[in-house]
Amino acid sequence: MVKFFKAFSSGISFALLYLFIVFVSPIVLLLLGYSDITSKPSLFGASLYSIEIEGQRFVSEATIFGFALALIGGLIIYFVSQLLVSSLRKTAA
């Protein structure tokens, strides 16, 4: 049960990182001088995020699908890292 909570915590951390990047990236792009950008990538027909910059106005939107993919990605990264650590410990012993 503890392993499940650690994995879920890792997934939530990765999903929160996704939210932070989506909401901060338009500000960084504006500071770098970009003033006309529209980005709305999709995967399997569903949008991952939406960022629009026009002049000094920007709109940033994270989607449920992107959040869920980030959560699943965090879970996968946690389990793969645990497999690597356990295999390294076995070879070192």
Side-chain angles (χ1 to χ4, degrees):
M1 197 68 175
V2 172
K3 189 177 253 188
F4 172 75
F5 285 124
K6 284 184 180 180
F8 191 70
S9 172
S10 175
I12 291 291
S13 298
F14 203 74
L16 289 175
L17 179 65
Y18 157 77
L19 290 175
F20 178 75
I21 289 171
V22 167
F23 290 127
V24 171
S25 60
I27 297 169
V28 172
L29 290 171
L30 278 173
L31 291 174
L32 291 174
Y34 296 100
S35 61
D36 190 29
I37 295 177
T38 301
S39 177
K40 193 173 186 179
S42 62
L43 183 67
F44 306 122
S47 178
L48 295 173
Y49 63 85
S50 174
I51 295 175
E52 296 177 24
I53 301 173
E54 295 175 1
Q56 294 298 314
R57 184 188 75 83
F58 66 89
V59 177
S60 174
E61 179 181 310
T63 62
I64 297 294
F65 183 64
F67 185 83
L69 276 179
L71 181 73
I72 292 168
L75 291 171
I76 290 170
I77 289 171
Y78 175 80
F79 285 119
V80 167
S81 67
Q82 290 299 311
L83 284 172
L84 289 174
V85 167
S86 67
S87 68
L88 288 175
R89 286 183 184 165
K90 287 179 183 178
T91 58

